[in-house]
Amino acid sequence: MARRHLPTPLDETTSLSSNPSSPEPPIDDDTAFYAQNNDSQSSIEQPTCADRNMSPSLSAEEQKISINRLPPELLILIFARLGSPQDLFNCMLVSKAWSRNCVDLLWHRPLCNSWENLLKVVHSVRKPNSYYPYFDIVKRLNLSNLSNQISDGTVQPFVYCKRIERLTLTGCVRLTDHGVITLVKGNESLLALDITGLDSVTDHTLHTVADNCVRLQGLNISDCSKVTDESLSHVARTCKYLKRVFTTFPQEDLWLIVSQLKLNNCSLVTDESITTFAELCPSMLEIDLHNCRQITDFSITALISRSHHLRELRLAHCNLITDNAFLTLPLQHSYESLRILDLTACHQLHDLAVERIIEIAPRLRNLVLAKCKEITDRSVLAITKLGKNLHYIHLGHCQNITDHAVVQLVKSCNRIRYIDLACCHRLTDASIKQLATLPKLRRIGLVKCQAITDRSIFALAKATMESKTRALAPSHLERVHLSYCIHLTLQGIHALLNQCPKLTHLSLTGVQAFFLREDLIAYCREAPPEFTEHQRNVFCVFSGDGVNRLRDYLNKDPSCLYEAEHTMFDDGTGVEDDGEEQMAAFMNATGLGDDEDMDFDGDGGDGA
């Protein structure tokens, strides 16, 4: 196959046009698309120089230098260990041999985090007589840092960059079909495309992607609300090796090999396109259908039954899903690859469905059943069968759960790192004391568990026993959500702060011992601007350095602080003694009802 050239010939006698401020070293975290709360890693390999002539004959003088006797492959590995673009740029100036082996590392992912840097990259890419064909070296292009400035005209200079493997345009809302098509048309090297939030993009873009990007592994079209089943079905028919599908609403052959597809907030997607993916892409690894409100049991059953390698399935807010989506799965089939399942707010699910899920997916690691209000202790007892595999469990707003189920869960699943039991009103100190024995617990959400007292907090603050050494160690808790736990006092929280050195987030919104104390709320962070006045009045969240400052303040003279706590309502201006009635009034004033899951942390709450 003939090699493609610039529109104008290259002149190797001209000087280098590389700029140390434009590129950055090869690290695999440039795109949020591959860095998800879903725990998957990109399968895209690091770019190499194998397809370039990197080892011409060395001059006699160069051969005298021992390092120049190394083959190009080893030189590239050495240069790849350098920590900064400036170091690579300096190496390019040492000799032609070094320059040839550094240029791909320096330019495969140009740094476009400012308008100035973008202009430098554009200048080098467009320069007609540059020493190297920079347009061919660029493998990853991320313009998301300049999202508000990127338009169709901005991306025009990259029209000749047809070897881009990862293209990230997240939030570039001024881009239309014309701009995206300019970048992807004729690019058979593209492996990942992220156009999250480009509401102007339509089916035309996806049709172009399906027709041109024959090696695509990842496609994220979250919040592209104009995309329909027509173009998605075209992608599915072309992508017979599709592995990851993300369709959430507001993650070799010459066939298109797509590994991640996100359709968040694409409200026009229905069963038609999803079943097409299920039929034609049996190697699916990850599927995210968050808020796909037109998706029904039929497509979910098809996806699970045909995707035997499925690792992640996210169905949050797919409120048409019922028990039948799981009960009608083939008997005797097991999906042991499934690790993450999110069923948030699937209100029509019952215990039978949960039992069936555990039966077919015995190695689940993350299970989210928040707001599945019909489930009971029976579901939790089924979950205990996951044993040591379970690391993350979210049961917020599952109000039928009792202490009995939680105690059994902890005894069977002792590797839990995250648990959220927000608004589980039936839970008492007995559950929290058992949770406190989890040796790996990092985050716990107990928002509006109003029956718990300081006994629970002292248990959480207690040192835990290391499983290997059997020695006592400080608590590993990092984030604790206790908003609206109305019976907590300053003594309990003080003990928690002192015994949890890794604590970085503590939410105490609505806890009277804190939000009414001016000296204490001085260390909490600002309430989000969208909060109402009532919400601001009870907001009390400590994070980052605020946690450390609060701890230091309480340690100065705790006896005086406790005395103030006992007498703070004696003047008749504070909260009345009937705390539960008063707190109910507070929650009504802030608009926080049982159906709300916000912890008033300003970060989504619920211990996330």
Side-chain angles (χ1 to χ4, degrees):
M1 184 174 181
R3 184 187 175 94
R4 202 170 40 76
H5 296 283
L6 271 171
T8 56
L10 295 177
D11 182 3
E12 294 196 16
T13 62
T14 55
S15 62
L16 293 173
S17 63
S18 299
N19 190 301
S21 66
S22 61
E24 71 180 327
I27 307 174
D28 275 333
D29 60 353
D30 58 312
T31 169
F33 181 60
Y34 284 105
Q36 315 277 348
N37 330 358
N38 60 20
D39 302 317
S40 67
Q41 297 296 326
S42 169
S43 59
I44 302 174
E45 296 180 356
Q46 287 280 356
T48 66
C49 301
D51 57 343
R52 295 170 49 85
N53 182 17
M54 300 300 288
S55 55
S57 299
L58 297 174
S59 66
E61 182 179 352
E62 287 176 323
Q63 290 182 17
K64 294 179 183 178
I65 305 175
S66 59
I67 193 171
N68 282 329
R69 296 180 181 179
L70 295 175
E73 292 81 3
L74 291 182
L75 283 174
I76 292 170
L77 287 174
I78 293 171
F79 294 141
R81 307 289 292 185
L82 296 177
S84 72
Q86 184 63 53
D87 290 338
L88 282 170
F89 180 71
N90 292 337
C91 288
M92 287 187 67
L93 303 179
V94 171
S95 67
K96 289 184 178 180
W98 281 33
S99 177
R100 284 187 292 268
N101 292 310
C102 283
V103 65
D104 276 20
L105 295 174
L106 188 61
W107 269 92
H108 91 284
R109 188 179 65 178
L111 182 61
C112 300
N113 62 345
S114 69
W115 189 256
E116 180 183 3
N117 281 350
L118 178 61
L119 292 179
K120 292 177 181 178
V121 172
V122 168
H123 174 74
S124 296
V125 169
R126 298 180 69 176
K127 193 170 183 178
N129 296 315
S130 58
Y131 190 83
Y132 291 109
Y134 296 106
F135 70 99
D136 250 355
I137 302 175
V138 175
K139 298 297 198 306
R140 304 181 187 181
L141 184 62
N142 187 343
L143 303 178
S144 58
N145 288 320
L146 302 173
S147 56
N148 294 327
Q149 298 171 272
I150 301 299
S151 64
D152 291 346
T154 309
V155 301
Q156 190 64 34
F158 296 100
V159 66
Y160 296 111
C161 297
K162 297 306 182 185
R163 300 186 68 186
I164 295 176
E165 296 176 352
R166 296 189 188 181
L167 179 60
T168 304
L169 303 171
T170 305
C172 299
V173 293
R174 297 172 61 187
L175 281 176
T176 66
D177 283 330
H178 175 72
V180 180
I181 289 174
T182 296
L183 292 171
V184 302
K185 191 172 184 179
N187 187 349
E188 296 184 358
S189 300
L190 193 64
L191 299 174
L193 174 63
D194 188 342
I195 52 174
T196 299
L198 275 63
D199 191 51
S200 297
V201 166
T202 68
D203 287 340
H204 295 297
T205 293
L206 283 193
H207 283 306
T208 303
V209 169
D211 291 335
N212 290 268
C213 306
V214 296
R215 299 176 58 214
L216 195 67
Q217 293 186 8
L219 180 61
N220 184 350
I221 56 172
S222 302
D223 297 309
C224 297
S225 57
K226 296 179 181 177
V227 172
T228 69
D229 286 333
E230 179 189 357
S231 61
L232 286 174
S233 297
H234 185 191
V235 171
R237 286 189 293 269
T238 311
C239 314
K240 299 207 173 187
Y241 291 90
L242 188 68
K243 295 181 180 178
R244 295 181 177 93
V245 177
F246 295 88
T247 57
T248 49
F249 295 92
Q251 137 254 164
E252 280 204 26
D253 197 297
L254 288 180
W255 288 101
L256 180 62
I257 307 175
V258 180
S259 46
Q260 292 188 337
L261 175 62
K262 295 191 175 185
L263 307 176
N264 307 13
N265 297 314
C266 302
S267 54
L268 301 178
V269 174
T270 69
D271 284 340
E272 178 184 348
S273 57
I274 303 305
T275 52
T276 304
F277 280 122
E279 293 169 1
L280 300 179
C281 307
S283 299
M284 201 84 70
L285 295 179
E286 302 174 19
I287 306 167
D288 191 337
L289 300 171
H290 175 98
N291 206 27
C292 295
R293 296 183 183 271
Q294 298 190 58
I295 300 300
T296 69
D297 294 340
F298 179 73
S299 58
I300 300 306
T301 302
L303 277 173
I304 299 176
S305 60
R306 294 187 171 115
S307 304
H308 295 282
H309 304 291
L310 191 64
R311 295 193 312 215
E312 298 184 19
L313 180 59
R314 302 181 185 273
L315 304 172
H317 299 281
C318 295
N319 49 21
L320 295 181
I321 294 177
T322 70
D323 294 344
N324 288 332
F326 304 97
L327 297 179
T328 56
L329 287 169
L331 297 176
Q332 308 304 323
H333 278 236
S334 180
Y335 304 90
E336 296 198 1
S337 296
L338 191 60
R339 296 291 186 272
I340 298 174
L341 180 61
D342 185 351
L343 296 169
T344 299
C346 293
H347 300 296
Q348 300 188 59
L349 293 183
H350 298 78
D351 292 330
L352 276 175
V354 176
E355 291 174 338
R356 178 64 173 145
I357 289 168
I358 303 304
E359 180 183 345
I360 64 172
R363 301 186 65 185
L364 273 174
R365 185 183 63 199
N366 292 18
L367 180 59
V368 182
L369 295 171
K371 298 185 179 179
C372 295
K373 298 184 178 181
E374 299 300 322
I375 70 173
T376 68
D377 283 355
R378 181 176 167 184
S379 291
V380 181
L381 294 176
I383 294 171
T384 62
K385 297 178 182 178
L386 295 176
K388 64 181 181 180
N389 294 314
L390 187 64
H391 291 178
Y392 179 116
I393 179 72
H394 197 322
L395 298 169
H397 298 268
C398 298
Q399 300 176 6
N400 296 320
I401 294 174
T402 69
D403 287 335
H404 171 69
V406 174
V407 169
Q408 295 304 314
L409 178 69
V410 174
K411 289 180 178 179
S412 301
C413 307
N414 62 358
R415 293 190 180 182
I416 293 175
R417 291 166 168 80
Y418 172 107
I419 187 166
D420 197 308
L421 298 165
C423 300
C424 294
H425 301 305
R426 299 188 180 188
L427 301 185
T428 68
D429 290 331
S431 290
I432 315 307
K433 288 179 180 179
Q434 193 67 38
L435 288 168
T437 65
L438 290 170
K440 297 182 181 294
L441 189 63
R442 299 292 187 273
R443 303 182 181 186
I444 185 168
L446 300 171
V447 176
K448 292 177 64 178
C449 292
Q450 297 177 3
I452 69 172
T453 68
D454 279 350
R455 295 185 182 89
S456 294
I457 308 306
F458 285 123
L460 290 173
K462 189 176 180 180
T464 58
M465 182 173 292
E466 295 286 354
S467 57
K468 293 183 179 180
T469 64
R470 311 301 295 176
L472 291 177
S475 171
H476 296 294
L477 280 172
E478 298 171 0
R479 296 172 67 92
V480 181
H481 296 252
L482 299 169
S483 294
Y484 295 100
C485 294
I486 58 177
H487 297 299
L488 303 185
T489 68
L490 189 58
Q491 289 95 328
I493 301 302
H494 189 190
L496 186 71
L497 286 165
N498 282 332
Q499 298 301 320
C500 301
K502 296 183 179 180
L503 196 65
T504 60
H505 184 97
L506 177 63
S507 68
L508 296 166
T509 296
V511 178
Q512 302 168 17
F514 276 80
F515 78 85
L516 294 176
R517 293 278 299 267
E518 293 291 339
D519 57 330
L520 300 181
I521 63 174
Y523 303 105
C524 81
R525 72 187 192 195
E526 291 291 329
E530 64 271 16
F531 276 18
T532 66
E533 181 180 356
H534 290 297
Q535 291 170 347
R536 290 174 177 274
N537 288 338
V538 297
F539 181 82
C540 189
V541 174
F542 305 89
S543 59
D545 188 55
V547 174
N548 297 327
R549 293 168 60 203
L550 176 64
R551 181 189 294 115
D552 293 341
Y553 176 74
L554 292 178
N555 285 335
K556 285 182 180 179
D557 192 358
S559 60
C560 293
L561 293 172
Y562 297 157
E563 182 180 354
E565 180 184 29
H566 292 305
T567 60
M568 60 188 298
F569 305 124
D570 291 348
D571 59 0
T573 60
V575 178
E576 299 294 337
D577 290 337
D578 51 343
E580 294 188 10
E581 295 181 5
Q582 186 68 26
M583 187 49 58
F586 269 117
M587 288 188 286
N588 289 333
T590 58
L592 181 64
D594 287 344
D595 292 333
E596 299 297 326
D597 62 354
M598 179 171 284
D599 186 22
F600 287 93
D601 294 1
D603 60 359
D606 281 89

